[in-house]
Amino acid sequence: MRILSGIQASGSLHLGNYLGALKKFADMQALDATRFYMIADLHAITVWQAPEKLLSQTREIAACYLAAGVDPEKSTIFPQSAVPQHTELAWLFNCVARLGWLDRMTQFKDKAGKDKERASIGLYTYPVLQAADILLYRATHVPVGEDQRQHLELTRDVVKKFNHDFKTDYFPVPETLYQGPGARIMSLRDGTAKMSKSDPSDNSRINLTDDADTIAGKIKKAKSDMDALPSEEAGLVERPEAKNLVGIYAALSGITNQAVLDEFGGKGFGAFKPALADVVVGKMAPISEKLRTLLNDPAQIDAVLARGAETAREAAAPVVKDVRKIFGLWG
Ligand code: TYM
């Protein structure tokens, strides 16, 4: 088993990133596998990033990895741009991926907005770079949140076409691990919108940097409804906010939504919210405390990243060499 995943170096992380990605990265350390977890700074620059901030954003994501329990002794943590083979393989895959595949990517449509003529070409070919990230380490498993599913489908298409065109089985078709109760955490202000870094309302998300009081306050203010919680999951279908809050409780406690309803079914939010706040504070406040300590020690973070970059480069170099040969390129 070879695992690769990544998080963009753009802004601070939130509970959705934790449950959809970071927690899985840490949990997967119990498996017998090789693990590569990168900070996607090359993906971040597909939209404008202030150069004087980008390095500190990269360090901040690395600190989030460490604070969430990703252990550099068990996992390789590295900045994507420290391994030049990512961009080289991305070019080669630009010549495998088809325009029609990229045209279907919904994230490009969302991020480019109405004026897509003004979007960067990098934003358009973003999923091809993501395919390169994964295949550079010949990863077999990719833990991500639900919103990355379409990008992972494109990666699988790249592998299939590459292996078919060059009559090889060099790359494995990677499996997407997006399942689980934390795969799609919604905004605390609107149960139909994804929890996101770009939401202008800070109350819409729990940031990894939030302290215990801030977290408890945000749960208290979270949008809910007037009804008691149902005793069966089917009763959550038309209640997006209730479903999200139950889902957060379940994901952080490692139990099913139904188990949460077995305990809280028939009770209102007046009883459920304080219990939820206890769970979220209990799990997230120690992470935010650790994060604050780590951010005061950038030298320690840089040492982890330098060591990870070296390991990643060693793994990446022979793969690109093989792929160059498969293409029939010079040298
Ligand atoms: P990014 O930086 O947008 O998000 C990082 C991870 O967090 C997950 N996530 C969520 N999960 C549940 N609920 C949410 N509300 C939520 N919001 C975000 C994302 O699904 C993701 O797993 N393109 C990727 C980064 C990347 C990558 C890769 C991932 C670059 N190369 C190779 C996997 C493999 C991205 O922008 O994630």
Side-chain angles (χ1 to χ4, degrees), residues 7-329:
I7 295 182
Q8 279 197 73
S10 48
S12 63
L13 299 188
H14 52 69
L15 183 65
N17 300 122
Y18 176 70
L19 288 171
L22 282 171
K23 183 173 183 297
K24 290 185 199 157
F25 299 177
D27 290 349
M28 289 180 91
Q29 293 179 139
L31 304 174
D32 183 17
T34 313
R35 282 164 287 264
F36 293 93
Y37 297 132
M38 51 166 224
I39 297 121
D41 50 356
L42 294 171
H43 277 108
I45 60 168
T46 56
V47 297
W48 173 251
Q49 303 293 336
E52 66 279 10
K53 285 201 189 142
L54 188 55
L55 280 177
S56 63
Q57 287 169 196
T58 299
R59 287 193 186 102
E60 190 173 333
I61 305 292
C64 289
Y65 281 172
L66 299 173
V70 180
D71 176 355
E73 298 300 326
K74 296 182 185 152
S75 305
T76 299
I77 304 172
F78 67 102
Q80 183 186 29
S81 65
V83 185
Q85 284 86 354
H86 285 259
T87 41
E88 183 169 2
L89 193 59
W91 175 259
L92 299 177
F93 286 160
N94 269 333
C95 303
V96 175
R98 305 289 96 179
L99 219 50
W101 303 355
L102 288 174
D103 279 341
R104 283 192 285 277
M105 295 290 120
T106 53
Q107 186 170 301
F108 175 76
K109 289 177 195 153
D110 293 345
K111 282 202 179 174
K114 282 200 188 87
D115 197 2
K116 77 175 199 298
E117 301 270 310
R118 290 182 164 275
S120 74
I121 294 166
L123 189 65
Y124 187 69
T125 76
Y126 177 117
V128 179
L129 178 59
Q130 187 159 343
D133 299 335
I134 295 165
L135 298 172
L136 192 50
Y137 304 93
R138 299 173 83 191
T140 55
H141 293 81
V142 186
V144 281
E146 208 263 342
D147 62 354
Q148 294 299 312
R149 234 166 108 179
Q150 201 185 28
H151 289 163
L152 266 295
E153 250 344 284
L154 186 128
T155 299
R156 292 160 61 86
D157 288 343
V158 167
V159 174
K160 288 179 198 157
K161 183 161 168 55
F162 177 90
N163 284 351
H164 173 267
D165 288 356
F166 295 102
K167 300 184 180 50
T168 173
D169 55 4
Y170 187 75
F171 288 118
V173 182
E175 260 182 62
T176 315
L177 306 173
Y178 64 87
Q179 300 86 348
R184 192 170 173 81
I185 300 298
M186 310 309 277
S187 155
L188 298 179
R189 311 296 304 159
D190 174 1
T192 62
K194 201 178 65 171
M195 185 177 284
S196 148
K197 298 173 203 180
S198 53
D199 193 315
S201 163
D202 193 57
N203 280 330
S204 71
R205 61 186 162 262
I206 308 278
N207 300 304
L208 253 61
T209 45
D210 288 345
D211 61 19
D213 288 347
T214 312
I215 296 172
K218 285 180 177 177
I219 299 286
K220 203 169 172 188
K221 284 195 213 106
K223 188 173 172 197
S224 57
D225 54 38
M226 303 302 282
D227 297 336
L229 284 172
S231 49
E232 299 292 331
E233 250 194 294
L236 291 172
V237 173
E238 301 285 322
R239 297 174 63 185
E241 282 82 20
K243 184 173 178 209
N244 188 39
L245 295 180
V246 167
I248 291 172
Y249 190 108
L252 283 173
S253 314
I255 58 176
T256 60
N257 285 356
Q258 187 55 54
V260 179
L261 297 179
D262 289 345
E263 190 177 344
F264 292 98
K267 294 185 184 152
F269 283 95
F272 180 61
K273 273 189 175 180
L276 176 62
D278 282 350
V279 168
V280 183
V281 168
K283 295 281 177 189
M284 302 312 287
I287 294 177
S288 78
E289 227 169 89
K290 205 162 166 208
L291 183 56
R292 277 193 293 277
T293 315
L294 280 161
L295 288 172
N296 284 327
D297 189 1
Q300 187 197 339
I301 299 169
D302 287 5
V304 167
L305 291 177
R307 192 148 63 91
E310 205 172 304
T311 308
R313 279 195 292 263
E314 274 167 25
V319 175
V320 166
K321 218 168 162 202
D322 288 345
V323 178
R324 291 172 68 98
K325 208 185 272 171
I326 292 173
F327 265 91
L329 291 163

